[in-house]
Amino acid sequence: MPDCDSGPAKGAKKQVPWDWHAKDNVLHPKRKLAELRGIGRAKKMTWVHVGRTKAQKECALHKRIAANIHTAMVNNHSAFVRRKGDFEAVHQWQGMHRCSQLIVNHDLASNFSWWDPAGTASAAHCQRACTWNPRCQGFSWNQTACLLKTFEKNFSTSWRFKDGVYSGQPCEWEERPYPWTRDPLQMYTLPAPKALQPAPNASMFCTMLVQPFSYEVNLAIMQYQGKYSIFACDNWAVYSSQRLRLAKGLATRLINSSQVCEDAGQFGTALNTEVFLAFWRAILLDGDYLKANWLVKADPDTVWFPKRLVPVLWLQEDRGLLKEGVYLNNCPKGLRGPLEVLSQKAFSTLATLSTVCYWGMKNWGDSQWGEDMWLDQCLMNNGHLHRVFVVNLLVDAACTKYPGWESCPSDFIGYHPFKQDEKYEACAATGQTTSTTATSTRTATRTHTATTRTTTSTTQTFGKNPFVQMEHALGGIFHR
């Protein structure tokens, strides 16, 4: 709330002397003097409204706006808590009933279907509604409706492409135990990492976390079909809170989270640390990150080129940083989540220190941060790992941007954000045709400048952009 004087409350009154010959209840100067001297008739008092000064009016306006914002935040938080609880209950129910995959962008054809309002919220809700209904043999869902379906004998089921439609079959009736973590300490306690393994130089395990039932699903499918982003890496995996069959040969791995998070906190960003803790836990348990020297996490709306990253990784390996652990910083203001690059040792250190970081940052804002800031603070302040700032690792609208960056020139490894398929493809296509300045050979041009921090350095591998240098210097419808 603004700390200022808003003056008297609206409608406040005070008593003043009354002059029958004065206008607007203001005493004539001579009458006022006489009254003060006690000359003339006795004073009569009356009530008048108290006004506010211009500064007090502005202060009252600012306080009213702040109060409205606070009320909206309280209401939004209450709605978020209800929504999160609902999706967590459905996710846990799915785990207990061995639910099959949801088929993305396909409609399940049938000869009879009916609408069930209990499944409107998401395809997961629709799958549960289908399981609860003994007549249901399959379902299709989009953003507006959940259709439960049944088939006559000898009817051949078929899946037809329909953009925005999720289809599937009911889950099993028999329940089985399914772990669900609610205690914060358990959430922040990652499983112990496995022993480090040797891997090819500059090798990458690339991964992304996809929000189900959102625009990110089609982005991931488009990238898979065009071999963009993580799909240009030798090893990759896609995770989500739902088992999704995105395309032939592409299915998501499950994380133990509803992926519902709130936009709030100190910086008004997504408070998604707990979601990514579940993501990191799944990666640790799968163990595929041990097949590569580097773990790369990219957001679905980040355009990036693995070939351009290779020279940077070679450089860090040449410096002998893999043993102690190293991760790359992509913004002068601190690590940004759209493109995160950690060595195998650094990711193992994160798993080892997760509980330590929880207690160390618990009282100074970690619950009000996004995962990128939490990760950065944990590895830097508790892990004391090498933190290398790569000037041209990422151009981000929220950090480093300059005029014309949306055209995706060859100066950068990654660009963020591109949330529409068409714009993403245009950027990726431009980058593929201009990506000749970086190669996977060790002879690529490389320069290195040390900074005052012993565990922090700066790397720029290609391209000269004056803006970057300045920045661095300154610090559905269904088939029926």
Side-chain angles (χ1 to χ4, degrees):
M1 192 66 67
D3 184 16
C4 59
D5 178 19
S6 59
K10 186 177 181 180
K13 295 181 179 181
K14 68 177 181 179
Q15 279 191 317
V16 298
W18 177 265
D19 188 344
W20 298 103
H21 302 289
K23 293 182 179 180
D24 300 326
N25 299 336
V26 178
L27 284 172
H28 188 277
K30 291 184 178 180
R31 291 286 298 169
K32 184 176 181 180
L33 183 60
E35 292 284 0
L36 291 173
R37 293 177 177 176
I39 303 173
R41 64 183 180 178
K43 290 191 295 183
K44 294 183 179 180
M45 306 299 290
T46 187
W47 291 94
V48 297
H49 289 281
V50 182
R52 288 172 171 169
T53 65
K54 183 178 179 181
Q56 289 174 336
K57 289 180 180 179
E58 292 180 354
C59 177
L61 175 62
H62 294 160
K63 286 188 175 182
R64 185 163 61 251
I65 293 173
N68 291 339
I69 293 175
H70 177 73
T71 301
M73 290 176 61
V74 171
N75 294 336
N76 291 339
H77 179 71
S78 299
F80 158 75
V81 171
R82 291 193 296 270
R83 181 172 180 269
K84 182 180 180 181
D86 180 34
F87 273 83
E88 285 182 347
V90 173
H91 182 93
Q92 188 175 9
W93 183 92
Q94 286 180 304
M96 295 171 62
H97 291 82
R98 298 180 179 88
C99 292
S100 58
Q101 291 179 335
L102 301 176
I103 314 301
V104 178
N105 292 336
H106 281 76
D107 180 27
L108 177 60
S110 70
N111 47 19
F112 184 74
S113 62
W114 65 97
W115 176 61
D116 191 334
T120 305
S122 74
H125 289 75
C126 193
Q127 188 174 41
R128 184 176 65 175
C130 179
T131 306
W132 284 349
N133 194 316
R135 298 168 54 204
C136 181
Q137 296 175 302
F139 67 92
S140 292
W141 174 91
N142 67 5
Q143 297 289 341
T144 60
C146 167
L147 290 179
L148 307 188
K149 305 189 175 188
T150 189
F151 314 101
E152 293 180 352
K153 292 182 178 180
N154 302 322
F155 182 86
S156 178
T157 59
S158 61
W159 306 88
R160 304 183 183 183
F161 178 82
K162 187 70 70 172
D163 189 32
V165 176
Y166 292 72
S167 298
Q169 297 174 327
C171 308
E172 297 181 7
W173 275 95
E174 183 183 355
E175 290 189 357
R176 64 172 179 175
Y178 184 71
W180 187 257
T181 304
R182 295 186 183 274
D183 179 68
L185 180 58
Q186 293 180 357
M187 292 180 184
Y188 282 82
T189 303
L190 295 176
K194 300 176 183 178
L196 301 180
Q197 297 181 10
N201 291 335
S203 54
M204 293 175 277
F205 173 65
C206 306
T207 184
M208 70 168 61
L209 180 64
V210 174
Q211 180 75 42
F213 324 129
S214 73
Y215 72 91
E216 294 183 353
V217 171
N218 280 345
L219 272 179
I221 295 173
M222 177 269 295
Q223 293 166 24
Y224 173 72
Q225 294 171 342
K227 294 191 180 300
Y228 304 135
S229 185
I230 69 170
F231 304 105
C233 300
D234 294 330
N235 300 297
W236 52 263
V238 181
Y239 289 82
S240 179
S241 59
Q242 293 292 317
R243 300 185 188 275
L244 304 177
R245 183 183 181 275
L246 302 175
K248 185 177 180 180
L250 178 60
T252 60
R253 301 181 182 182
L254 193 66
I255 69 168
N256 197 354
S257 169
S258 65
Q259 274 186 269
V260 178
C261 61
E262 188 174 19
D263 291 340
Q266 293 171 276
F267 308 103
T269 56
L271 306 183
N272 55 2
T273 303
E274 291 183 0
V275 173
F276 276 84
L277 284 164
F279 173 57
W280 297 328
R281 176 178 286 106
I283 294 176
L284 285 163
L285 294 175
D286 289 345
D288 288 343
Y289 74 97
L290 295 169
K291 300 176 182 177
N293 279 344
W294 300 88
L295 169 67
V296 182
K297 189 276 288 185
D299 285 353
D301 57 352
T302 300
V303 182
W304 72 288
F305 305 95
K307 285 186 178 181
R308 297 186 187 179
L309 182 58
V310 169
V312 179
L313 305 184
W314 275 112
L315 178 56
Q316 313 313 317
E317 294 177 0
D318 287 346
R319 295 173 59 203
L321 300 182
L322 289 184
K323 277 188 176 182
E324 299 177 9
V326 57
Y327 70 103
L328 306 185
N329 180 27
N330 52 31
C331 174
K333 304 173 185 177
L335 182 66
R336 292 296 187 266
L339 189 60
E340 300 173 351
V341 185
L342 297 81
S343 69
Q344 187 182 133
K345 172 67 174 179
F347 187 62
S348 296
T349 301
L350 174 66
T352 304
L353 292 177
S354 59
T355 307
V356 176
C357 293
Y358 169 75
W359 288 114
M361 296 188 285
K362 185 176 185 297
N363 295 322
W364 53 287
D366 69 303
S367 61
Q368 297 296 301
W369 297 343
E371 60 87 17
D372 47 7
M373 186 172 180
W374 193 90
L375 173 68
D376 192 17
Q377 295 298 317
C378 179
L379 295 181
M380 180 171 58
N381 296 325
N382 294 91
H384 305 292
L385 300 184
H386 293 279
R387 181 179 187 258
V388 178
F389 175 44
V390 179
V391 177
N392 41 14
L393 178 58
L394 178 70
V395 54
D396 183 27
C399 181
T400 51
K401 64 177 180 179
Y402 59 92
W405 71 270
E406 296 95 337
S407 62
C408 303
S410 60
D411 304 63
F412 289 88
I413 298 170
Y415 308 83
H416 176 268
F418 287 89
K419 300 183 182 296
Q420 291 80 30
D421 290 13
E422 299 79 8
K423 293 184 177 180
Y424 190 105
E425 284 188 286
C427 176
T430 302
Q432 284 184 337
T433 57
T434 60
S435 186
T436 58
T437 56
T439 66
S440 59
T441 64
R442 302 185 67 173
T443 58
T445 303
R446 294 178 291 210
T447 60
H448 170 255
T449 305
T451 66
T452 56
R453 182 180 172 89
T454 57
T455 58
T456 305
S457 59
T458 301
T459 299
Q460 182 168 352
T461 57
F462 48 81
K464 290 185 178 181
N465 191 295
F467 297 97
V468 175
Q469 293 174 341
M470 182 183 301
E471 186 82 40
H472 175 52
L474 297 174
I477 297 178
F478 290 108
H479 169 79
R480 298 175 183 268

